[in-house]
Coordinates of all heavy atoms in Angstrom, one line a residue:
M1 N 16.4 -161.8 0.0 CA 15.1 -161.3 0.4 C 14.4 -160.5 -0.7 O 15.0 -159.7 -1.3 CB 15.3 -160.4 1.6 CG 14.0 -159.8 2.2 SD 14.3 -158.7 3.6 CE 14.1 -159.9 4.9
T2 N 13.2 -160.8 -1.0 CA 12.4 -160.0 -2.0 C 11.2 -159.4 -1.4 O 10.8 -159.7 -0.3 CB 12.0 -160.9 -3.2 OG1 11.2 -162.0 -2.6 CG2 13.2 -161.6 -3.8
G3 N 10.6 -158.6 -2.2 CA 9.3 -157.9 -1.8 C 9.6 -156.5 -1.5 O 10.7 -155.9 -1.6
N4 N 8.6 -155.8 -0.9 CA 8.6 -154.4 -0.6 C 8.8 -154.2 0.9 O 8.0 -153.7 1.5 CB 7.4 -153.7 -1.1 CG 7.3 -153.5 -2.6 OD1 8.3 -153.6 -3.3 ND2 6.1 -153.3 -3.1
T5 N 10.0 -154.6 1.3 CA 10.3 -154.4 2.7 C 10.9 -153.0 2.9 O 11.6 -152.6 2.0 CB 11.2 -155.4 3.3 OG1 12.5 -155.4 2.5 CG2 10.7 -156.9 3.2
T6 N 10.6 -152.3 4.0 CA 11.2 -151.0 4.2 C 12.1 -151.1 5.3 O 11.8 -151.6 6.4 CB 10.1 -150.0 4.5 OG1 9.3 -150.5 5.6 CG2 9.2 -149.8 3.3
A7 N 13.3 -150.6 5.0 CA 14.4 -150.6 6.1 C 14.3 -149.3 6.9 O 13.6 -148.3 6.4 CB 15.7 -150.6 5.4
P8 N 14.7 -149.3 8.1 CA 14.6 -148.0 8.9 C 15.3 -147.0 8.2 O 16.4 -147.2 7.5 CB 15.2 -148.4 10.2 CG 15.5 -149.9 10.2 CD 15.3 -150.4 8.8
H9 N 14.9 -145.7 8.3 CA 15.5 -144.6 7.7 C 16.8 -144.2 8.4 O 16.9 -144.2 9.6 CB 14.6 -143.3 7.7 CG 13.4 -143.5 7.0 ND1 13.3 -143.9 5.7 CD2 12.0 -143.5 7.4 CE1 12.0 -143.9 5.2 NE2 11.2 -143.8 6.3
R10 N 17.8 -144.1 7.6 CA 19.2 -143.6 8.1 C 19.0 -142.1 8.2 O 18.5 -141.5 7.4 CB 20.3 -143.9 7.2 CG 20.8 -145.4 7.3 CD 22.0 -145.5 6.6 NE 22.4 -146.9 6.5 CZ 23.4 -147.4 5.8 NH1 24.1 -146.6 5.1 NH2 23.6 -148.7 5.8
R11 N 19.5 -141.6 9.3 CA 19.4 -140.1 9.5 C 20.4 -139.5 8.5 O 21.6 -139.8 8.5 CB 19.8 -139.7 10.9 CG 19.7 -138.3 11.2 CD 19.6 -138.0 12.7 NE 19.8 -136.7 13.0 CZ 18.8 -135.8 12.9 NH1 17.6 -136.2 12.7 NH2 19.0 -134.5 13.3
T12 N 19.9 -138.5 7.8 CA 20.7 -137.7 6.9 C 21.2 -136.5 7.6 O 20.5 -135.8 8.3 CB 19.9 -137.2 5.6 OG1 19.4 -138.4 5.0 CG2 20.7 -136.6 4.6
D13 N 22.5 -136.1 7.4 CA 23.2 -135.0 8.1 C 22.4 -133.7 7.6 O 22.4 -133.4 6.4 CB 24.6 -134.9 7.7 CG 25.3 -133.8 8.3 OD1 24.7 -132.9 8.9 OD2 26.6 -133.9 8.4
P14 N 21.8 -132.9 8.5 CA 21.1 -131.7 8.1 C 21.9 -130.7 7.4 O 21.5 -130.0 6.6 CB 20.6 -131.1 9.5 CG 20.7 -132.3 10.4 CD 21.7 -133.2 9.9
R15 N 23.2 -130.7 7.7 CA 24.2 -129.8 7.1 C 24.3 -130.1 5.5 O 24.4 -129.3 4.7 CB 25.6 -129.7 7.6 CG 25.5 -129.2 9.1 CD 26.9 -129.4 9.8 NE 27.0 -130.8 10.0 CZ 28.2 -131.3 10.4 NH1 29.2 -130.5 10.7 NH2 28.3 -132.6 10.5
L16 N 24.3 -131.4 5.3 CA 24.3 -131.8 3.9 C 23.1 -131.4 3.1 O 23.1 -130.8 2.0 CB 24.4 -133.4 3.7 CG 24.3 -134.0 2.4 CD1 25.4 -133.6 1.5 CD2 24.1 -135.5 2.4
L17 N 21.9 -131.6 3.8 CA 20.7 -131.1 3.1 C 20.6 -129.6 2.8 O 20.1 -129.2 1.8 CB 19.4 -131.6 3.9 CG 19.3 -133.0 4.3 CD1 18.1 -133.3 5.2 CD2 19.2 -133.8 2.9
E18 N 21.1 -128.9 3.7 CA 21.2 -127.4 3.5 C 22.1 -127.0 2.3 O 21.8 -126.0 1.8 CB 21.7 -126.7 4.8 CG 20.7 -126.8 6.0 CD 21.3 -126.3 7.3 OE1 22.4 -125.7 7.3 OE2 20.6 -126.4 8.2
A19 N 23.1 -127.8 2.0 CA 24.0 -127.5 1.0 C 23.6 -127.9 -0.4 O 24.0 -127.4 -1.4 CB 25.4 -128.2 1.3
L20 N 22.6 -128.8 -0.5 CA 22.1 -129.3 -1.7 C 21.2 -128.4 -2.4 O 20.4 -127.7 -1.7 CB 21.5 -130.7 -1.6 CG 22.4 -131.8 -1.1 CD1 21.5 -133.1 -0.8 CD2 23.4 -132.1 -2.2
V21 N 21.3 -128.3 -3.7 CA 20.4 -127.5 -4.5 C 19.8 -128.4 -5.6 O 20.4 -129.5 -5.9 CB 21.0 -126.2 -5.1 CG1 21.4 -125.2 -4.0 CG2 22.2 -126.6 -6.0
C22 N 18.7 -128.0 -6.2 CA 18.1 -128.7 -7.3 C 19.1 -128.8 -8.5 O 19.5 -127.7 -8.9 CB 16.8 -128.1 -7.7 SG 16.0 -128.8 -9.1
P23 N 19.3 -129.9 -9.0 CA 20.2 -130.1 -10.2 C 19.6 -129.5 -11.5 O 20.3 -129.2 -12.4 CB 20.4 -131.6 -10.3 CG 19.3 -132.2 -9.7 CD 18.8 -131.3 -8.6
V24 N 18.3 -129.1 -11.5 CA 17.7 -128.6 -12.7 C 17.6 -127.1 -12.6 O 18.0 -126.4 -13.5 CB 16.1 -129.1 -12.7 CG1 15.4 -128.4 -13.9 CG2 16.2 -130.7 -12.9
T25 N 17.2 -126.5 -11.4 CA 17.0 -125.1 -11.3 C 18.1 -124.4 -10.5 O 18.2 -123.2 -10.5 CB 15.6 -124.8 -10.6 OG1 15.7 -125.3 -9.3 CG2 14.5 -125.4 -11.4
G26 N 18.9 -125.1 -9.7 CA 19.8 -124.5 -8.8 C 19.2 -123.8 -7.6 O 19.9 -123.1 -6.8
T27 N 17.9 -124.1 -7.3 CA 17.3 -123.5 -6.1 C 17.4 -124.4 -5.0 O 17.6 -125.6 -5.1 CB 15.8 -123.2 -6.5 OG1 15.2 -124.4 -7.0 CG2 15.6 -122.1 -7.6
L28 N 17.0 -123.9 -3.8 CA 17.0 -124.6 -2.6 C 15.9 -125.7 -2.6 O 15.0 -125.5 -3.3 CB 16.8 -123.7 -1.3 CG 18.0 -122.7 -1.1 CD1 17.6 -121.8 0.1 CD2 19.3 -123.4 -0.8
L29 N 16.2 -126.7 -1.8 CA 15.3 -127.8 -1.7 C 14.6 -127.9 -0.4 O 15.2 -127.4 0.6 CB 16.0 -129.2 -1.9 CG 16.7 -129.2 -3.3 CD1 17.7 -130.4 -3.2 CD2 15.7 -129.5 -4.4
R30 N 13.4 -128.4 -0.3 CA 12.6 -128.5 1.0 C 12.7 -130.0 1.4 O 12.4 -130.8 0.5 CB 11.2 -128.1 0.8 CG 10.3 -128.3 2.0 CD 8.9 -127.7 1.9 NE 8.2 -128.2 0.7 CZ 7.5 -129.3 0.6 NH1 7.5 -130.1 1.7 NH2 6.9 -129.6 -0.5
Y31 N 13.0 -130.3 2.6 CA 13.1 -131.7 3.0 C 11.8 -132.2 3.6 O 11.2 -131.6 4.4 CB 14.2 -131.7 4.1 CG 14.3 -133.1 4.9 CD1 14.5 -134.2 4.1 CD2 14.3 -133.2 6.2 CE1 14.7 -135.5 4.7 CE2 14.5 -134.4 6.8 CZ 14.7 -135.6 6.1 OH 14.8 -136.7 6.7
D32 N 11.3 -133.3 3.0 CA 10.1 -133.9 3.5 C 10.5 -135.1 4.3 O 10.9 -136.3 3.6 CB 9.2 -134.2 2.3 CG 7.8 -134.9 2.7 OD1 7.8 -135.5 3.9 OD2 6.9 -134.8 2.0
A33 N 10.5 -135.0 5.6 CA 11.1 -136.2 6.4 C 10.2 -137.4 6.3 O 10.6 -138.5 6.3 CB 11.2 -135.7 7.9
E34 N 8.9 -137.2 6.3 CA 7.9 -138.3 6.2 C 8.0 -139.1 5.0 O 8.1 -140.4 5.0 CB 6.4 -137.7 6.3 CG 5.4 -138.9 6.4 CD 4.1 -138.3 6.6 OE1 3.9 -137.4 7.4 OE2 3.2 -138.8 5.9
R35 N 8.3 -138.5 3.8 CA 8.4 -139.2 2.6 C 9.8 -139.5 2.3 O 10.1 -140.1 1.2 CB 7.7 -138.4 1.4 CG 6.2 -138.4 1.6 CD 5.6 -137.8 0.4 NE 5.5 -138.9 -0.6 CZ 4.6 -138.9 -1.6 NH1 3.7 -138.0 -1.6 NH2 4.7 -139.9 -2.5
Q36 N 10.8 -138.9 3.0 CA 12.2 -139.1 2.7 C 12.5 -138.6 1.3 O 13.0 -139.4 0.5 CB 12.7 -140.5 3.0 CG 12.7 -140.9 4.4 CD 13.8 -140.1 5.1 OE1 15.0 -140.2 4.8 NE2 13.4 -139.2 6.0
E37 N 12.2 -137.3 1.1 CA 12.4 -136.7 -0.3 C 12.9 -135.3 -0.1 O 12.6 -134.6 0.9 CB 11.1 -136.7 -1.0 CG 10.6 -138.0 -1.5 CD 9.2 -137.9 -2.2 OE1 8.5 -137.0 -2.0 OE2 9.1 -138.8 -3.1
L38 N 13.7 -134.8 -1.1 CA 14.0 -133.4 -1.2 C 13.1 -132.9 -2.3 O 13.2 -133.3 -3.4 CB 15.5 -133.3 -1.5 CG 16.4 -133.7 -0.4 CD1 17.8 -133.7 -0.8 CD2 16.2 -132.8 0.9
I39 N 12.4 -131.8 -2.0 CA 11.4 -131.3 -2.9 C 11.9 -130.0 -3.5 O 12.4 -129.1 -2.9 CB 10.1 -130.9 -2.1 CG1 9.6 -132.0 -1.4 CG2 9.1 -130.4 -3.1 CD1 9.2 -133.3 -2.1
S40 N 11.9 -130.0 -4.9 CA 12.1 -128.8 -5.7 C 10.7 -128.2 -6.3 O 10.3 -128.8 -7.2 CB 13.0 -129.0 -6.8 OG 13.2 -127.9 -7.7
E41 N 10.2 -127.3 -5.6 CA 9.0 -126.7 -6.0 C 9.1 -126.1 -7.4 O 8.2 -126.3 -8.2 CB 8.5 -125.6 -5.0 CG 8.3 -126.1 -3.6 CD 7.1 -127.0 -3.5 OE1 6.3 -127.1 -4.3 OE2 7.0 -127.6 -2.4
K42 N 10.2 -125.4 -7.7 CA 10.3 -124.7 -9.0 C 10.4 -125.8 -10.1 O 9.7 -125.5 -11.2 CB 11.6 -123.8 -8.9 CG 11.7 -123.0 -10.1 CD 12.8 -122.0 -10.0 CE 12.8 -121.0 -11.2 NZ 13.8 -119.9 -11.0
A43 N 11.0 -126.8 -9.9 CA 11.2 -127.9 -11.0 C 10.0 -128.9 -11.0 O 9.8 -129.6 -11.9 CB 12.5 -128.7 -10.9
G44 N 9.3 -128.9 -9.8 CA 8.1 -129.8 -9.7 C 8.6 -131.2 -9.5 O 7.9 -132.2 -10.0
L45 N 9.7 -131.4 -8.8 CA 10.3 -132.7 -8.7 C 10.6 -133.0 -7.2 O 10.8 -132.1 -6.4 CB 11.6 -132.8 -9.5 CG 11.5 -132.8 -10.9 CD1 12.9 -132.7 -11.5 CD2 10.7 -133.9 -11.5
A46 N 10.4 -134.3 -6.8 CA 10.8 -134.8 -5.5 C 12.0 -135.8 -5.6 O 11.8 -136.9 -6.3 CB 9.6 -135.4 -4.8
F47 N 13.1 -135.5 -5.1 CA 14.3 -136.4 -5.2 C 14.3 -137.3 -4.0 O 14.2 -136.8 -2.8 CB 15.6 -135.6 -5.2 CG 15.7 -134.7 -6.5 CD1 15.2 -133.4 -6.5 CD2 16.1 -135.2 -7.6 CE1 15.2 -132.7 -7.6 CE2 16.1 -134.4 -8.8 CZ 15.7 -133.1 -8.8
P48 N 14.4 -138.6 -4.1 CA 14.3 -139.6 -3.1 C 15.6 -139.5 -2.2 O 16.7 -139.2 -2.8 CB 14.2 -140.9 -3.8 CG 14.8 -140.8 -5.1 CD 14.5 -139.3 -5.5
I49 N 15.4 -139.9 -1.0 CA 16.6 -140.2 -0.1 C 16.5 -141.6 0.3 O 15.5 -142.1 0.9 CB 16.5 -139.3 1.2 CG1 16.6 -137.8 0.8 CG2 17.7 -139.6 2.1 CD1 16.3 -136.9 1.9
R50 N 17.5 -142.4 -0.1 CA 17.6 -143.8 0.2 C 18.7 -144.2 1.1 O 19.9 -143.9 0.8 CB 17.7 -144.6 -1.2 CG 16.5 -144.4 -2.0 CD 16.6 -145.2 -3.4 NE 15.5 -144.9 -4.3 CZ 15.7 -144.5 -5.6 NH1 16.9 -144.6 -6.0 NH2 14.7 -144.2 -6.3
E51 N 18.4 -144.8 2.2 CA 19.4 -145.3 3.2 C 20.2 -144.0 3.6 O 21.4 -144.1 3.8 CB 20.2 -146.3 2.6 CG 19.4 -147.6 2.4 CD 20.2 -148.8 2.0 OE1 21.5 -148.8 2.2 OE2 19.7 -149.7 1.4
G52 N 19.6 -142.8 3.7 CA 20.3 -141.6 4.1 C 21.1 -140.9 3.1 O 21.7 -139.9 3.3
I53 N 21.0 -141.4 1.8 CA 21.7 -140.8 0.7 C 20.8 -140.1 -0.3 O 19.9 -140.8 -0.9 CB 22.5 -141.8 0.0 CG1 23.5 -142.4 1.0 CG2 23.2 -141.2 -1.2 CD1 24.3 -143.7 0.4
P54 N 20.8 -138.7 -0.5 CA 20.0 -138.1 -1.5 C 20.4 -138.6 -2.9 O 21.6 -138.5 -3.3 CB 20.3 -136.6 -1.3 CG 21.0 -136.5 0.1 CD 21.6 -137.8 0.3
I55 N 19.3 -138.9 -3.7 CA 19.6 -139.3 -5.0 C 19.2 -138.2 -5.9 O 18.0 -137.9 -6.1 CB 18.7 -140.6 -5.4 CG1 18.9 -141.7 -4.3 CG2 19.0 -141.1 -6.8 CD1 20.3 -142.2 -4.2
M56 N 20.2 -137.4 -6.3 CA 19.9 -136.2 -7.1 C 19.9 -136.4 -8.6 O 20.3 -135.5 -9.4 CB 20.9 -135.1 -6.7 CG 21.0 -134.9 -5.2 SD 19.4 -134.5 -4.5 CE 19.1 -132.9 -5.3
L57 N 19.3 -137.5 -9.1 CA 19.2 -137.7 -10.5 C 17.8 -137.5 -11.0 O 16.8 -137.9 -10.4 CB 19.5 -139.2 -10.7 CG 20.9 -139.7 -10.3 CD1 21.1 -141.1 -10.5 CD2 22.0 -138.9 -11.2
V58 N 17.7 -136.7 -12.0 CA 16.3 -136.3 -12.6 C 15.5 -137.5 -12.9 O 14.3 -137.7 -12.6 CB 16.4 -135.4 -13.7 CG1 15.1 -135.1 -14.3 CG2 17.1 -134.0 -13.3
D59 N 16.2 -138.6 -13.4 CA 15.5 -139.8 -13.8 C 14.9 -140.6 -12.7 O 14.0 -141.4 -12.8 CB 16.4 -140.7 -14.6 CG 16.9 -140.3 -16.0 OD1 16.2 -139.3 -16.5 OD2 17.8 -140.7 -16.6
E60 N 15.5 -140.3 -11.5 CA 15.0 -141.0 -10.3 C 14.0 -140.2 -9.5 O 13.3 -140.7 -8.5 CB 16.2 -141.3 -9.3 CG 17.2 -142.2 -9.8 CD 16.7 -143.7 -9.9 OE1 15.9 -144.1 -8.9 OE2 16.9 -144.4 -10.9
A61 N 13.8 -139.0 -9.9 CA 12.9 -138.1 -9.1 C 11.4 -138.3 -9.5 O 11.1 -138.8 -10.6 CB 13.1 -136.6 -9.5
R62 N 10.5 -138.0 -8.6 CA 9.1 -138.2 -8.7 C 8.5 -136.8 -9.1 O 8.9 -135.8 -8.6 CB 8.5 -138.6 -7.5 CG 7.0 -138.7 -7.4 CD 6.5 -139.3 -6.1 NE 6.8 -138.3 -5.0 CZ 6.0 -137.3 -4.6 NH1 4.9 -137.0 -5.3 NH2 6.3 -136.5 -3.6
K63 N 7.6 -136.8 -10.1 CA 7.0 -135.6 -10.6 C 6.0 -135.3 -9.5 O 5.2 -136.1 -9.1 CB 6.4 -135.7 -11.9 CG 7.4 -135.8 -13.0 CD 6.8 -136.0 -14.4 CE 7.9 -136.2 -15.4 NZ 7.2 -136.3 -16.8
L64 N 6.0 -133.9 -9.1 CA 5.0 -133.5 -8.1 C 3.5 -133.4 -8.7 O 2.6 -133.6 -8.1 CB 5.4 -132.2 -7.5 CG 6.7 -132.3 -6.7 CD1 7.0 -130.9 -6.2 CD2 6.5 -133.3 -5.6
H65 N 3.5 -132.9 -10.0 CA 2.2 -132.6 -10.6 C 2.2 -133.2 -11.9 O 3.1 -132.9 -12.8 CB 2.0 -131.1 -10.7 CG 2.3 -130.3 -9.5 ND1 1.4 -130.5 -8.4 CD2 3.2 -129.6 -9.1 CE1 1.8 -129.7 -7.4 NE2 2.9 -129.2 -7.7
E66 N 1.2 -134.1 -12.3 CA 1.2 -134.7 -13.6 C -0.1 -134.4 -14.2 O -1.1 -134.1 -13.6 CB 1.3 -136.3 -13.5 CG 2.7 -136.6 -13.1 CD 3.0 -138.0 -13.4 OE1 2.2 -138.8 -13.9 OE2 4.1 -138.5 -12.9

C-alpha cells in the first residue's frame, strides 16, 4: 500500500508522556493530542508520536518557528 494513508492513532500511555523530557533542553514537554506531537517550547521543536511511540530524535522533530 502506498500514499499518504493515516492509520488510527494508538493511545500513548499518559504516564510515559509525563516521564519524557526534551532531549535537547531536559525540560518538560507539552502533549498536542490533535497533531500527535510532544512540544518543547524551549527548544522550539515538536517531536512526533507515531503509532503511539514518541520519536525523540532531533532529526525527526519539526521546527516550531522558522
Side-chain angles (χ1 to χ4, degrees):
M1 177 183 266
T2 61
N4 287 339
T5 60
T6 55
H9 298 299
R10 284 190 187 171
R11 183 164 169 81
T12 303
D13 185 343
R15 293 174 295 174
L16 173 65
L17 298 179
E18 291 172 6
L20 291 174
V21 295
C22 175
V24 177
T25 65
T27 57
L28 294 177
L29 299 163
R30 178 176 53 84
Y31 175 50
D32 182 337
E34 185 176 315
R35 292 189 77 154
Q36 287 296 292
E37 294 178 327
L38 292 171
I39 309 296
S40 173
E41 298 290 346
K42 190 169 185 179
L45 296 172
F47 297 93
I49 299 174
R50 297 185 187 129
E51 297 182 19
I53 301 169
I55 310 300
M56 303 305 294
L57 302 171
V58 173
D59 290 345
E60 294 289 322
R62 177 177 64 83
K63 292 182 183 177
L64 296 178
H65 312 286
E66 291 193 9

